[in-house]
Amino acid sequence: MKITRRGVVAVGIVLTAALALAGCTGGTSGTPTTGTAAFNDAVSKIVNPSTAQGGTVKLLAADDCDSWDPQRTYYGWCWNMQRIFTRSLIGYETVNGTKPVLAPDLATDMGTHNADFTKWTYTLQKDLKWSDGTAITPMDVKYGIERLFATDVINGGPASYFIATISHPADYLGPYTSGDLASIETTADSITFNLSTPYSDFNYLMAMAAAAPVPYKVEGGADFTGANYTKRPLSSGPFKIESYTPTQEITFVRNEFWKQSTDKIRKPLADKITLTINSDVNDIDSKLKAGTADAKADNSIGTTLQSQVLTQPKLKKNADNPTTAFTRYFSVMPSVIPNLYCRQAIFYATNKAELVQAFGGTTAGTAAGSMTPPTIAGYSATANMYSTGADNTGDLTKAKEALKKCGQPDGFTTKLAYSTPSETGPKVFAAMQTALARVGIKITAATSATSSYYSSFIGSPANIESQGLGIAVAAWGADFPTGYGFWNSIANGATIIPAGNTDYPSLNDPAVNKILDAAPAGTSKDSDFRALDDQVMKNAVYLPILFGKSLYYRNARLTNVTSNNALAFGIYDFVNVGTGGK
Amino acid sequence: MSLPMGELEVVGESAPLTNKTVTGSSIVGRSLWSIAWRRLRKDKVAMTAGVVIVLLILIATLAGPLTALYGQNYLTHHNLPPNALTDSATNLPIGDFGGISSTHWLGVTPVLGQDILSLLIYGARTSLIISGLATALSLVLGVTLGLIAGYYRGWRDTVISRIMDVLLSFPTLLFSLSLIAVVGIVNSSPGARYAIIIFVLGFFGWPYIGRIVRGQVLSLREKEFVDAARSLGASNGWIMAKEIMPNLLGPILVYTTLTIPNYMLGEAGLSYLGVGIQPPTPSWGQMLSDAGNYFQVDPMYLVLPGLAIFISVLAFNLFGDGLRDALDPKSTR
Amino acid sequence: MVRFITFRLLGAIVVVWIVSVVTFLIFQVVPTLTDTSPVYYYIGKVPFPPDSIQFKALVHRFGFDLPLYAQYWHFLSGILLGQNITDGVSTPIVCPAPCFGYSFRQNELVGTMILNAAPVSISLLVGAAILWLVGGVAVGTLSALKPGSFVDRVGMTSSLAAVSLPIFFTGPLLLLIFEYTLGWLPDTSYAPITEDPAQWLRSMILPWVSLAFLFAALYARLTRSNMIETMGEDYIRTARAKGLGRRTVVVKHGLRAALTPIVTIFGIDVGTLIGSTIITETVFNLRGIGYLSIKSIQSLDLPVILGVTIIAAVALVVANLIVDILYAVIDPRVTV
């Protein structure tokens, strides 16, 4: 039985039903071209292109998703998993490489907006259905977004973008307590958002899983609404959840109500996708190496497999090391080290070459000279305001000059904060301690459990000051790949809050704020974000270390594999992956 | 006998200890000690263990000069060209057996390329300081409260014994981990971490010594020499300090040598779980914890700190064992 | 006897209560010293300022706006009477007594999480306990037969060596040898005994051995000293004088008497280890109660920490209670 893509569309329901009955995965003559792939092939190409349908993709992860509720998840890899079974108005058509491209998903086009980007209207495609057969309506889309305002129940997701953007009464707390949100208008086939502020990047918000529809008022049924929707979220995408045991396993099978004709960005091949949670990283490594699992869905492969992959060519050809959309950096706190030159001394004395090692070696990233990562507008490969020398080990002459200007020629003492337990944190600390000691700057460690580190440890400006945390280890990846998306939460003085803050050094520079405040109007050019980066760097509060890379491993049998850099730090775009029918 | 830290710690056999040493305690102090010393000297195993302990203490005390003599320091990282001893991509030591060479006798660590021998030397210091101070805390609390409970009896005994009962029924390890986590929120400095680790090890361990001391004192206070001192008008404090304490020294000494290794394992275990001493202060447990990420590709990094812990703990256990036998006239050896 | 048992039972309840209060206070009070709302521990990152309505709604949902005693009562009454977990939207989740609350991080009843983890811990504990009891008593008995002999010295020195080996060293070493080098145990991931007994056994062998190794050493030493003492007792001499065979004397008389204290210690050890085989479960990635507790402590998942700690305390106290009662039954000299 030859299965072409068009054939699937035509016989979708019949086919899946037949397969379910027969309990087989379907034979195929679409021979996959396995065996020719090379290292890094999935970074910007599609490995083993194939149209062969059927088979089960077996994924592993060390931990369960933070949530399967589209409105409540915030892990990149979980957004990638959401792409398997949820759709939103807009989606990503191109996910690999460094320039992700948006495309209409549930919507018919990229939406229309008024001149100042405060009113956005989208029309839904016809014939869209939930996995229970009911129609997906504009009301469902509206309801999903309203849920984000119910922060007491629907927490954990990127709700603050929507709350800061969409007009709402000051006391609006979502559909459960405050009912309907008038600023989102719906007709039978369209939806209009009235914003409280111009927002030219609004399509990127609409491409988040958080903007996915949820069945209006019904959600997943009486037992699976609100906080419990995560246990049985309904599917609008090509796969639906067949079974889910929290912290153990989730299984996706094809959603017979999804139609290929309505979906331009997904071309699913597999019949089934399983994600097994396995807390033993060594065990995951073994299974990947043995080929009994297809890929690790959540993160880089384990330390052991990494070193084996890098030294054994037969393993290496199945691995990818994409540059991903995040920057590792130190936040250097002006509230603790008020003198600009003292902070600059830290910048110059830093040994980035060793820090790259401490973060995992050359496969973990490349030394960064500025904050903007390669996927974001304003990136420059050469920008390096505080050059640390040709070998990136530090410019001690300049560091000492800066210390003199600061009035502390013999150095000073401060603390370096990192979260525990962490494999890299202690090594980063040791590297930094050795590097700064060269110019007389002494550091001691200040640690906090990961769960409170970002919320109340370095996320609290008051705590930074009271504990004297001069330097803090941090990483930042934009929630959506635009200059504004990258910078606003970490550099706009208006976003500083007393806890759960993301502008760790409390940067509040009028020149920076001005560029960011103008950005939503849609007139900002790449050069504006380049200038923004320079202006931020002048403050010497963000010390970029490296542009992150991750090392992933794909089973040789997988077809149509490519890296998803739009949502998930370069992990494979699993919705489109096939197994060659096996 | 129950294990205060679950798998972390193993308390020596305190029960047989109580039974046995009581008999010896009525013998006049000096002769007991000289008999014990003679017996101990004949015990080759215990004496060897004693030498190892002395060496260990010397190494810990002289860590600075020793590493200077050896010419390597754990604060120096050998992971960057031109002197890189680790591979820039895999981060593993270059060369066989974890990069063992004439300059780095036990090789270097993955990632940072730190000299392992100097890490082990400084790790001995961490291990001994923490286990020593925690043991001291247990001793001070246990001896004082055990003495009070056993000597005065009455309500003091009731209160102290109940407290000991409650502490012995605590899920100690779980509770310690929670406590360390929470203290970390309030004070994140390395000093605070040191203090809380010593506290959880020492505090949850004192009821063990407290019970032993209380039992000893209960019988000692009925002895003739105590009655004699009392009839001569000696104060309670004097009797406790001059009459009873000397008779407690034997069991306390044995208990101390058996507690230190337990707390060494305890410290290592906490470090292994990621809540122990934080780098850059070297600690054997922390090295083992890190080595857990590399044991398939760099087994030496696992084996070396593991052996360091094993040898030190074994030395203390063997010595304590020999000491107990030596102090116990009924000993069968 | 009734009075004795009642008294001990009351004591046990008081201990568990103290554990619950102290743990509760540590986590509810200490964070407030740094002006940190416990909300962060319930759900992680909250990107809203503490004075926003979004944040306040969260504080209200978890009851952190109630006075401390009310929060404690809510927690305690949940255990005693059960409670309904509700988000005000979905059908409330019925959580019958003893209800240890709900993990808002993992969207699961704490009781369910503990029940799911329990078979792993019990598998580990039962297997290891059998190994260490049998092994330890055997070695101890052999040693005691000829105190001071070569067998005795080897037995006792090697048992001291075993006590000195931490599981986080022996564990990875065993894995390295048997799983990754020799390949005798290619896949050691846990499977329930009901689903795949062979895989269950494969996953358990190394953890059993490492844990049992440690305890067997202790039991060997205890058995030895008890045996030596018992063998010196008059009735044993009488038995031997009567011309009974050596084996009969050792097994029927000596060992039986020597084992009584061992059994009591065994009870307490097993009680202690329920919920605190943290290191073994971490080393071997067994998702039992110990693993659950260290993970919840690392993520400061408060309801889970409270639940696990109380379960561990109950196990320990119950073990103590049983041992005490048994002792009282066996030995009439024990009084209150």
Side-chain angles (χ1 to χ4, degrees):
Chain A
M1 177 175 68
K2 179 159 179 145
I3 303 167
T4 63
R5 199 181 303 149
R6 233 179 46 215
V8 176
V9 176
V11 297
I13 300 166
V14 182
L15 177 71
T16 22
L19 287 176
L21 284 173
C24 81
T25 49
T28 175
S29 56
T31 328
T33 48
T34 49
T36 55
F39 180 58
N40 265 343
D41 264 8
V43 170
S44 48
K45 288 189 286 188
I46 292 172
V47 171
N48 297 335
S50 166
T51 53
Q53 295 271 345
T56 301
V57 176
K58 286 174 266 180
L59 306 178
L60 299 174
D63 253 317
D64 200 352
C65 267
D66 50 349
S67 177
W68 290 95
D69 183 330
Q71 268 82 35
R72 292 178 66 194
T73 168
Y74 216 147
Y75 292 168
W77 76 272
C78 296
W79 287 7
N80 194 33
M81 298 307 292
Q82 288 283 337
R83 188 170 153 90
I84 291 174
F85 72 98
T86 59
R87 302 174 63 183
S88 37
L89 291 171
I90 305 292
Y92 286 93
E93 188 171 36
T94 307
V95 291
N96 60 12
T98 54
K99 291 281 168 278
V101 177
L102 289 179
D105 190 353
L106 292 174
T108 53
D109 53 27
M110 296 296 284
T112 53
H113 57 82
N114 59 0
D116 66 351
F117 299 98
T118 55
K119 192 176 184 115
W120 289 75
T121 302
Y122 301 87
T123 307
L124 261 67
Q125 298 187 56
K126 289 187 171 58
D127 238 5
L128 297 170
K129 291 219 170 78
W130 288 105
S131 50
D132 65 359
T134 57
I136 299 173
T137 67
M139 276 308 282
D140 297 338
V141 177
K142 175 180 174 176
Y143 184 74
I145 287 165
E146 282 175 344
R147 289 174 91 233
L148 290 164
F149 287 79
T151 49
D152 52 341
V153 179
I154 307 301
N155 47 49
S160 49
Y161 288 108
F162 297 84
I163 295 173
T165 312
I166 297 169
S167 288
H168 64 273
D171 59 352
Y172 184 73
L173 268 178
Y176 309 125
T177 45
S178 312
D180 182 59
L181 183 59
S183 61
I184 307 178
E185 301 156 37
T186 53
T187 66
D189 65 348
S190 78
I191 180 164
T192 300
F193 298 91
N194 292 288
L195 310 188
S196 55
T197 170
Y199 210 87
S200 57
D201 285 344
F202 197 67
N203 272 339
Y204 286 98
L205 295 191
M206 291 298 106
M208 284 181 172
V214 169
Y216 179 63
K217 295 214 166 155
V218 181
E219 303 200 3
D223 293 342
F224 301 101
T225 56
N228 293 328
Y229 186 61
T230 178
K231 292 175 185 170
R232 195 184 289 172
L234 227 61
S235 161
S236 50
F239 292 87
K240 63 177 180 184
I241 296 172
E242 183 190 49
S243 67
Y244 171 45
T245 315
T247 72
Q248 293 187 26
E249 190 170 49
I250 186 161
T251 307
F252 300 92
V253 291
R254 290 296 285 269
N255 167 13
E256 61 269 37
F257 291 101
W258 170 87
K259 286 184 185 163
Q260 179 72 69
S261 59
T262 66
D263 196 333
K264 302 285 184 293
I265 64 176
R266 296 177 191 79
K267 293 174 181 71
L269 296 175
D271 286 336
K272 194 168 178 178
I273 299 176
T274 61
L275 174 75
T276 311
I277 315 300
N278 183 337
S279 53
D280 187 346
V281 180
N282 285 320
D283 200 42
I284 293 184
D285 285 357
S286 306
K287 290 190 164 114
L288 289 174
K289 228 175 5 176
T292 50
D294 291 318
K296 185 165 184 276
D298 60 344
N299 219 324
S300 280
I301 51 178
T303 322
T304 305
L305 186 55
Q306 283 199 25
S307 54
Q308 289 165 342
V309 157
L310 295 170
T311 47
Q312 300 175 22
K314 71 173 172 36
L315 295 175
K316 191 170 181 176
K317 69 180 170 55
N318 296 328
D320 298 285
N321 190 205
T323 297
T324 59
F326 71 97
T327 308
R328 288 195 189 280
Y329 65 95
F330 289 135
S331 175
V332 184
M333 313 295 185
S335 60
V336 180
I337 310 171
N339 188 302
L340 174 71
Y341 296 106
C342 275
R343 296 201 299 274
Q344 286 184 352
I346 296 174
F347 277 57
Y348 285 121
T350 297
N351 184 342
K352 289 181 188 172
E354 190 179 6
L355 285 168
V356 170
Q357 296 301 115
F359 275 114
T362 46
T363 51
T366 46
S370 71
M371 285 293 286
T372 315
T375 46
I376 304 291
Y379 165 72
S380 157
T382 52
N384 197 351
M385 194 175 288
Y386 306 99
S387 169
T388 48
D391 57 359
N392 260 322
T393 57
D395 187 335
L396 303 186
T397 321
K398 284 213 172 137
K400 282 174 188 152
E401 272 170 30
L403 279 175
K404 264 186 217 128
K405 282 192 208 162
C406 158
Q408 310 229 41
D410 300 325
F412 54 90
T413 302
T414 189
K415 286 184 187 167
L416 185 135
Y418 64 89
S419 64
T420 55
S422 151
E423 196 183 321
T424 56
K427 293 172 183 132
V428 168
F429 175 81
M432 203 55 182
Q433 189 184 39
T434 308
L436 295 185
R438 297 178 299 180
V439 295
I441 301 172
K442 292 181 198 66
I443 52 168
T444 55
T447 56
S448 159
T450 311
S451 49
S452 58
Y453 185 73
Y454 291 106
S455 57
S456 55
F457 199 66
I458 67 167
S460 154
N463 185 60
I464 288 170
E465 210 174 333
S466 67
Q467 299 219 34
L469 311 175
I471 311 171
V473 179
W476 182 253
D479 289 324
F480 50 92
T482 71
Y484 183 75
F486 181 79
W487 284 108
N488 198 51
S489 306
I490 61 170
N492 195 339
T495 63
I496 299 171
I497 51 175
N501 187 25
T502 43
D503 178 359
Y504 307 121
S506 297
L507 176 66
N508 193 3
D509 175 353
V512 170
N513 297 349
K514 199 178 146 208
I515 301 173
L516 284 171
D517 291 342
T523 52
S524 302
K525 294 181 289 290
D526 286 7
S527 57
D528 293 323
F529 290 110
R530 182 68 247 145
L532 172 67
D533 190 312
D534 282 340
Q535 184 59 34
V536 170
M537 291 303 290
K538 273 183 196 148
N539 284 278
V541 294
Y542 282 117
L543 167 49
I545 304 300
L546 59 82
F547 298 130
K549 290 167 89 175
S550 295
L551 193 62
Y552 303 122
Y553 188 84
R554 52 184 141 81
N555 196 341
R557 77 177 188 133
L558 289 184
T559 63
N560 271 9
V561 197
T562 199
S563 152
N564 185 342
N565 219 355
L567 297 170
F569 306 121
I571 242 162
Y572 305 116
D573 187 25
F574 295 117
V575 71
N576 291 330
V577 161
T579 61
K582 278 168 279 191
Chain B
M1 185 205 68
S2 124
L3 306 181
M5 302 286 278
E7 320 133 279
L8 282 188
E9 268 183 66
V10 178
V11 160
E13 299 109 280
S14 41
L17 181 75
T18 350
N19 303 336
K20 286 180 188 171
T21 30
V22 170
T23 343
S25 56
S26 54
I27 301 171
V28 182
R30 185 163 298 162
S31 73
L32 170 74
W33 290 106
S34 58
I35 293 169
W37 173 237
R38 221 180 304 141
R39 293 164 65 99
L40 189 64
R41 250 191 341 200
K42 280 192 209 142
D43 188 342
K44 285 195 200 94
V45 175
M47 286 311 282
T48 316
V51 171
V52 173
I53 292 172
V54 171
L55 276 178
L56 196 66
I57 294 171
L58 277 178
I59 287 173
T61 323
L62 302 174
L66 275 178
T67 46
L69 207 63
Y70 161 58
Q72 296 297 336
N73 188 314
Y74 72 89
L75 288 170
T76 313
H77 305 157
H78 304 275
N79 59 348
L80 287 183
N83 305 315
L85 297 175
T86 57
D87 185 283
S88 69
T90 64
N91 256 332
L92 297 175
I94 299 166
D96 293 333
F97 300 106
I100 285 183
S101 67
S102 56
T103 39
H104 300 280
W105 300 352
L106 299 180
V108 295
T109 63
V111 184
L112 292 180
Q114 292 169 296
D115 181 79
I116 288 186
L117 180 56
S118 57
L119 276 173
L120 289 178
I121 290 175
Y122 277 94
R125 175 181 281 191
T126 309
S127 188
L128 280 178
I129 289 179
I130 292 201
S131 55
L133 288 178
T135 305
L137 177 63
S138 286
L139 280 182
V140 169
L141 286 172
V143 171
T144 315
L145 294 169
L147 201 56
I148 292 172
Y151 186 80
Y152 291 104
R153 302 205 294 199
W155 66 269
R156 292 183 183 87
D157 187 20
T158 312
V159 170
I160 291 169
S161 294
R162 285 302 110 196
I163 292 176
M164 293 197 287
D165 285 347
V166 170
L167 281 176
L168 291 176
S169 314
F170 247 61
T172 315
L173 176 56
L174 257 177
F175 198 74
S176 304
L177 293 174
S178 306
L179 204 60
I180 295 171
V182 166
V183 167
I185 297 170
V186 180
N187 189 332
S188 57
S189 70
R193 182 58 75 89
Y194 247 99
I196 187 69
I197 288 168
I198 291 168
F199 175 79
V200 295
L201 290 174
F203 182 75
F204 288 107
W206 77 260
Y208 294 89
I209 181 81
R211 278 196 170 176
I212 294 169
V213 169
R214 176 181 168 272
Q216 297 274 11
V217 175
L218 276 178
S219 71
L220 282 171
R221 73 190 293 281
E222 309 299 338
K223 300 277 184 215
E224 297 84 352
F225 61 92
V226 175
D227 281 340
R230 209 175 278 138
S231 61
L232 288 172
S235 71
N236 285 334
W238 197 90
I239 293 173
M240 279 193 270
K242 297 283 174 187
E243 299 291 337
I244 294 182
M245 267 306 275
N247 286 294
L248 291 175
L249 285 182
I252 290 176
L253 198 61
V254 172
Y255 189 82
T256 305
T257 30
L258 293 174
T259 303
I260 288 177
N262 289 331
Y263 289 170
M264 285 176 123
L265 288 177
E267 183 272 319
L270 291 175
S271 293
Y272 177 79
L273 291 173
V275 295
I277 294 297
Q278 297 293 316
T281 311
S283 134
W284 295 337
Q286 168 198 300
M287 288 174 79
L288 274 179
S289 168
D290 193 36
N293 299 311
Y294 305 94
F295 72 88
Q296 288 182 60
V297 281
D298 185 8
M300 280 304 276
Y301 188 32
L302 173 79
V303 170
L304 292 168
L307 281 180
I309 295 181
F310 173 62
I311 292 170
S312 317
V313 171
L314 181 62
F316 273 102
N317 278 336
L318 286 173
F319 185 73
D321 206 42
L323 194 64
R324 190 209 344 248
D325 286 346
L327 282 167
D328 176 8
K330 256 172 78 182
S331 168
T332 38
R333 256 187 213 171
Chain C
M1 183 53 78
V2 173
R3 183 163 166 260
F4 171 77
I5 291 175
T6 319
F7 188 81
R8 299 295 304 182
L9 202 59
L10 280 176
I13 291 169
V14 170
V15 168
V16 173
W17 178 73
I18 291 175
V19 170
S20 83
V21 172
V22 173
T23 316
F24 184 85
L25 284 181
I26 282 184
F27 282 99
Q28 301 283 346
V29 174
V30 176
T32 59
L33 298 176
T34 53
D35 293 324
T36 307
S37 169
V39 162
Y40 295 112
Y41 309 133
Y42 268 50
I43 60 159
K45 194 170 166 171
V46 185
F48 306 103
D51 58 355
S52 63
I53 59 157
Q54 285 85 12
F55 194 90
K56 285 180 181 153
L58 269 172
V59 169
H60 180 69
R61 175 175 167 211
F62 298 126
F64 295 135
D65 49 354
L66 296 172
L68 208 56
Y69 67 86
Q71 290 182 45
Y72 180 74
W73 171 244
H74 182 72
F75 165 73
L76 192 66
S77 65
I79 295 178
L80 299 176
L81 311 168
Q83 58 172 309
N84 288 334
I85 312 289
T86 176
D87 59 358
V89 181
S90 196
T91 313
I93 299 164
V94 180
C95 179
C99 173
F100 293 100
Y102 189 79
S103 165
F104 295 97
R105 288 264 181 104
Q106 310 219 24
N107 300 298
E108 185 80 87
L109 287 172
V110 174
T112 312
M113 293 167 83
I114 293 174
L115 279 181
N116 287 341
V120 182
S121 292
I122 291 170
S123 301
L124 171 64
L125 203 55
V126 170
I130 292 171
L131 274 183
W132 91 57
L133 196 60
V134 172
V137 169
V139 172
T141 312
L142 278 179
S143 280
L145 289 180
K146 270 196 185 160
S149 68
F150 179 72
V151 172
D152 178 31
R153 297 201 139 222
V154 169
M156 286 306 101
T157 310
S158 53
S159 72
L160 263 188
V163 176
S164 311
L165 279 169
I167 290 183
F168 43 90
F169 174 45
T170 47
L173 215 54
L174 288 173
L175 282 173
L176 180 65
I177 296 169
F178 293 104
E179 181 168 0
Y180 299 112
T181 308
L182 298 175
W184 292 355
L185 298 161
D187 177 5
T188 54
S189 45
Y190 175 83
I193 187 172
T194 47
E195 281 173 22
D196 188 347
Q199 182 61 27
W200 173 80
L201 196 65
R202 255 202 300 281
S203 70
M204 280 295 160
I205 286 177
L206 295 182
W208 282 343
V209 170
S210 343
L211 189 58
F213 206 47
L214 188 69
F215 280 83
L218 278 169
Y219 281 66
R221 296 178 68 75
L222 271 175
T223 309
R224 175 183 178 271
S225 56
N226 288 340
M227 273 291 276
I228 290 174
E229 239 170 78
T230 320
M231 294 301 279
E233 302 271 345
D234 293 340
Y235 71 96
I236 297 282
R237 288 180 201 179
T238 318
R240 297 193 75 168
K242 276 200 291 189
L244 285 176
R246 183 176 159 80
R247 180 169 295 173
T248 321
V249 175
V250 170
V251 175
K252 275 193 95 175
H253 299 279
L255 199 55
R256 188 186 282 176
L259 278 187
T260 315
I262 302 272
V263 168
T264 65
I265 288 160
F266 181 72
I268 295 173
D269 280 346
V270 169
T272 312
L273 282 177
I274 293 181
S276 44
T277 50
I278 294 179
I279 299 228
T280 315
E281 288 178 13
T282 307
V283 168
F284 293 99
N285 272 288
L286 294 169
R287 292 200 280 176
I289 298 175
Y291 185 89
L292 179 66
S293 52
I294 185 74
K295 285 290 158 197
S296 55
I297 288 170
Q298 281 170 357
S299 62
L300 295 174
D301 194 345
L302 207 52
V304 185
I305 298 174
L306 277 171
V308 176
T309 312
I310 288 172
I311 291 286
V314 168
L316 189 51
V317 161
V318 167
N320 269 305
L321 194 65
I322 291 171
V323 165
D324 280 353
I325 292 170
L326 273 181
Y327 225 98
V329 172
I330 296 166
D331 189 345
R333 282 173 299 176
V334 173
T335 50
V336 185

